Amino acid sequence: MELVQAVSPDLSNAPMVAGGFVGGVALTSCPSGASNMASGEGAEQQQQQQQQGGGDKYSVLLPTYNERDNLPLIVWLLVRYFDESGFDYEIIVIDDGSPDGTLEVAKQLEMIYGSDKILLRPRAKKLGLGTAYIHGIQHATGNFVFIMDADLSHHPKFIPDFIKKQKEGNYDVVSGTRYKGDGGVFGWDLRRKLISRGANFVTQILLRPGASDLTGSFRLYKKEVLQKLVEKCVSKGYVFQMEMIVRARQLDYSIGEVPITFVDRVYGESKLGGNEIVSFLKGLLHLFATT
């Protein structure tokens, strides 16, 4: 029951996409943020957001591949929590040629929420997570950048906590952690939990990164910090997120942490497989030898 509640928000106000259904759920209307924009109240709302955020703007980078069912829900949740919190934002969708029609769904979302809030920056094929971030940063107009998964594993309800934490310590990086405070994981089998815990434990021993969760990918960066870190990183796949934290420590960037609940994807299949695990181990040894 806890898992269902964690990943099944009230969708009564979610947008109509792809014939009125998303993941088998009937959706009927736009959220208040989108309807306000359509009714001419967008300028006033944007001014209020800028005042709330102290002039800060948050760019959310969403790399996608075969996330047709998840994308409308994660975008709706992002719009909801940003609008409720009053922060200025934009959502940048970086689709890598998904064959399931993710880009077509993204285009519908752009029409619903407006091109000022939903920016589509697709690529022709899968080119890696690091290059997706580089591509997204080039189009980001915010001075802060969120990175997160588009598969509903990372709930946008934690975004206000990230922003609050960053402002408390003026942190360069704020990382979501599953292994501290109230953080946790739902929906994983024992094998997946052991792999994650084991990878994090070995990484802590070898690299001493100064952060409790290296393999997570829900983070908030100052834009200029993210740009420098991406330029420094050479890893690909799941090792990339780990290297980002290690390089941040090397460059003496300050790192804050926010406990989060990670929920396994509802729609689609996990992209973690044997090849990714082998690549992780190779990347870990490379970082141990070079840092």
Side-chain angles (χ1 to χ4, degrees):
M1 181 63 69
E2 292 179 350
L3 174 60
V4 173
Q5 292 175 344
V7 299
S8 301
D10 178 12
L11 300 177
S12 59
N13 291 322
M16 180 179 293
V17 176
F21 291 88
V22 177
V25 180
L27 305 177
T28 57
S29 63
C30 297
S32 59
S35 60
N36 286 346
M37 295 293 288
S39 63
E41 298 178 10
E44 180 180 351
Q45 184 185 42
Q46 185 175 13
Q47 183 178 9
Q48 292 175 349
Q49 288 174 335
Q50 291 174 344
Q51 292 173 350
Q52 175 74 15
D56 292 324
K57 183 175 181 179
Y58 298 87
S59 300
V60 182
L61 304 187
L62 285 183
T64 60
Y65 187 78
N66 287 347
E67 300 291 357
R68 173 187 176 89
D69 292 327
N70 292 316
L71 186 61
L73 297 179
I74 192 68
V75 167
W76 178 71
L77 287 167
L78 282 166
V79 170
R80 173 185 172 184
Y81 283 100
F82 269 115
D83 283 350
E84 288 181 355
S85 300
F87 297 107
D88 193 14
Y89 69 96
E90 63 185 2
I91 302 168
I92 303 175
V93 180
I94 308 146
D95 186 65
D96 275 2
S98 298
D100 72 339
T102 298
L103 183 58
E104 285 67 30
V105 170
K107 290 177 180 177
Q108 295 183 54
L109 294 170
E110 182 185 37
M111 293 177 62
I112 291 171
Y113 297 106
S115 58
D116 60 326
K117 293 301 181 186
I118 309 296
L119 285 69
L120 308 184
R121 299 296 182 264
R123 304 190 297 177
K125 60 181 180 180
K126 292 185 72 173
L127 298 172
L129 190 60
T131 60
Y133 290 146
I134 293 173
H135 185 67
I137 292 170
Q138 292 173 348
H139 301 282
T141 61
N143 55 322
F144 288 92
V145 178
F146 273 100
I147 63 170
M148 62 189 300
D149 293 343
D151 61 3
L152 299 175
S153 297
H154 301 143
H155 201 299
K157 69 180 181 180
F158 295 108
I159 279 179
D161 296 334
F162 277 78
I163 295 174
K164 179 180 178 182
K165 185 68 176 182
Q166 192 283 322
K167 291 184 179 297
E168 285 177 354
N170 191 29
Y171 291 106
D172 298 307
V173 183
V174 178
S175 181
T177 177
R178 298 161 290 181
Y179 305 126
K180 190 175 181 180
D182 296 330
V185 175
F186 289 93
W188 278 1
D189 58 20
L190 180 60
R191 171 182 172 274
R192 186 78 183 270
K193 289 181 178 179
L194 288 175
I195 290 174
S196 178
R197 282 283 190 177
N200 201 63
F201 176 77
V202 172
T203 302
Q204 293 289 340
I205 296 297
L206 294 180
L207 302 180
R208 301 187 181 278
S212 62
D213 190 345
L214 267 72
T215 57
S217 55
F218 192 1
R219 295 173 186 165
L220 171 63
Y221 293 88
K222 291 180 180 178
K223 182 180 178 181
E224 67 273 14
V225 170
L226 180 58
Q227 288 174 316
K228 292 178 182 177
L229 289 176
V230 169
E231 291 171 359
K232 292 283 186 180
C233 290
V234 298
S235 303
K236 296 181 180 179
Y238 290 88
V239 184
F240 178 81
Q241 302 292 1
M242 179 174 63
E243 185 178 359
M244 291 278 280
I245 291 294
V246 173
R247 300 299 179 193
R249 183 206 62 188
Q250 276 189 323
L251 297 172
D252 292 326
Y253 288 132
S254 56
I255 304 173
E257 291 189 304
V258 170
I260 63 167
T261 301
F262 179 95
V263 181
D264 198 18
R265 63 168 52 240
V266 179
Y267 303 116
E269 297 180 356
S270 172
K271 300 175 179 66
L272 177 64
N275 291 336
E276 285 73 20
I277 295 174
V278 172
S279 297
F280 170 83
L281 293 174
K282 289 181 178 178
L284 176 60
L285 293 175
H286 172 74
L287 288 176
F288 176 69
T290 59
T291 60

